[in-house]
Amino acid sequence: MSSDRGPLDGVKVVELAGLAPAPFGCMILADLGADVVLVDRPGGTGPAGPLQRGRRQVTLDLKSESGIAGLLALIGKADVLVEGYRPGVAERLGFGPAECEKINPGLVYARMTGWGQDGPLAKAAGHDIDYIAIAGALEPIGRPGERPHAPINLLGDFAGGGMLLAVGVLAALLERARSGRGQVVDAAMVDGSSLLMTFLHGFIAAGRWPGGRGQNLLDGGAPFYDTYQASDGGYLAVGALEPQFYAALVKGLGLDDLPAQFDVAAWPELRRRFAERFRLRTRDEWASIFDGLDACVSPVLSPAEAPLHPHHQARNAFVEVDGVTQPAPAPRFGRTPAATPEPVRPATVQDILSRWG
């Protein structure tokens, strides 16, 4: 039997409202078919957006006895609870792991924090940039001789945070199918950011990352793995690492008599010639030239332009939810495809309990 609601159809999740990482992790679960109930406080956490899609929302005052009673009633029927408070807050309010295990031994209790549930920084304030800083993920980002460049909050909040949370929840659910028991999932953004750096630790150990910031093969140090400005101010991304792709790049640019690809001493000259050439045409003209050439050259699109790219349109990679164009659920499943997400919808505790049987 297949489901048109996704592979997590039937999984019941209670999400305590928060910002960025936990909502993203719960968005993934909701996209894949889980029935996610967002528990928000009176007054709310702000306007609903794409990260809150696919939920039903109830309002509870968790500083009141009635609010806690409503939350515990939902937890008693749920498969997963997701909370993003600082360590100790949920325990103080009366719904820590020990209390929840008494009423629902099979509950997966997922905790999303920056620093984790223990350690000297556990209760300290922090943001994405702080977590990736001590994870070693910020220092390598930037140009030679410049300070580390603060990326948008993709590494800590989303890849190292929300995505890690979703993976942890799924692993705990899989284990529960064997043991019948729930457990606590400690998803820390600093851990996830460190995990994302695994490949770089390997490169360093193998001597394949010899330079400083912006001076290596995959950080913009190599002229054939970088971005170049076109005549109209747009940019092209070049990732021609392998010899056959590099040959196609050189062909598309119409260049000859170049230094050897991996002659590091000649990289400044190679970069200069690439840059001069790319400035002769517009971004889209270069994109047309490289269309069909396996040169690993792509136009650098803005978030507004991305949904219009023919590849995304052919794969229906973006959807419109509540008037906002946004990425469609991913990954894709052959037998249990995910449905198009819906906007967050208001509900009551009784509505949810009735639906959950």
Side-chain angles (χ1 to χ4, degrees):
M1 180 180 295
S2 63
S3 168
D4 59 0
R5 292 191 292 268
L8 296 184
D9 185 20
V11 174
K12 302 181 287 293
V13 179
V14 175
E15 172 195 1
L16 302 184
L19 298 174
F24 178 64
C26 289
M27 184 200 81
I28 294 172
L29 300 178
D31 281 354
L32 300 185
D35 190 349
V36 181
V37 175
L38 173 63
V39 177
D40 207 350
R41 64 176 183 266
T45 56
L51 292 183
Q52 293 182 344
R53 69 192 190 191
R55 323 289 215 281
R56 282 171 302 140
Q57 183 180 35
V58 301
T59 300
L60 293 174
D61 181 0
L62 298 183
K63 295 182 179 179
S64 70
E65 291 185 6
S66 61
I68 293 296
L71 176 62
L72 292 177
L74 292 173
I75 289 172
K77 297 288 187 181
D79 298 297
V80 180
L81 171 69
V82 176
E83 61 96 349
Y85 300 140
R86 292 197 197 188
V89 172
E91 286 86 346
R92 188 174 72 248
L93 292 174
F95 52 88
E99 290 86 356
C100 291
E101 185 178 18
K102 293 175 184 176
I103 62 174
N104 187 348
L107 182 73
V108 172
Y109 195 115
R111 317 193 82 166
M112 180 80 261
T113 61
W115 304 113
Q117 294 300 309
D118 53 23
L121 292 175
K123 295 187 178 181
H127 279 297
D128 178 292
I129 195 169
D130 304 299
Y131 311 136
I132 69 174
I134 75 161
L138 177 59
E139 191 276 339
I141 300 175
R143 293 295 184 178
E146 298 181 4
R147 66 185 188 274
H149 177 73
I152 59 176
N153 59 327
L154 296 177
L155 292 180
D157 280 352
F158 298 112
M163 190 77 75
L164 184 75
L165 174 79
V167 170
V169 166
L170 296 177
L173 287 172
L174 182 63
E175 192 281 334
R176 191 188 67 169
R178 298 192 297 267
S179 69
R181 299 179 60 193
Q183 60 182 303
V184 173
V185 177
D186 177 0
M189 287 174 261
V190 68
D191 294 346
S193 301
S194 297
L195 192 64
L196 293 172
M197 296 298 290
T198 304
F199 94 98
L200 192 55
H201 285 281
F203 266 42
I204 293 170
R208 298 174 64 188
W209 202 263
R213 183 182 309 116
Q215 298 175 353
N216 302 280
L217 189 63
L218 300 176
D219 60 359
F224 43 85
Y225 199 89
D226 204 351
T227 58
Y228 291 91
Q229 190 172 37
S231 63
D232 60 349
Y235 288 87
L236 284 301
V238 175
L241 290 172
E242 292 79 4
Q244 68 272 27
F245 304 144
Y246 181 77
L249 167 66
V250 172
K251 177 182 178 181
L253 290 174
L255 291 171
D256 54 23
D257 192 26
L258 293 176
Q261 179 182 3
F262 288 98
D263 180 359
V264 176
W267 278 3
E269 170 65 13
L270 199 55
R271 187 185 307 279
R272 182 187 67 79
R273 294 192 62 181
F274 285 172
E276 288 178 349
R277 202 68 169 185
F278 274 113
R279 283 196 292 266
L280 296 179
R281 299 179 184 272
T282 68
R283 182 196 70 178
D284 291 346
E285 286 173 341
W286 282 119
S288 178
I289 288 171
F290 282 102
D291 185 22
L293 278 179
D294 265 347
C296 301
V297 176
S298 303
V300 177
L301 304 181
S302 70
E305 292 176 302
L308 304 177
H309 192 279
H311 185 78
H312 294 317
Q313 292 192 332
R315 287 175 55 81
N316 297 313
F318 287 79
V319 294
E320 185 174 301
V321 181
D322 205 20
V324 178
T325 299
Q326 53 198 265
R332 305 175 187 214
F333 297 85
R335 186 169 50 81
T336 58
T340 300
E342 297 181 353
V344 63
R345 296 158 289 165
T348 67
V349 172
Q350 290 306 316
D351 291 337
I352 304 303
L353 293 177
S354 175
R355 178 184 174 95
W356 285 357

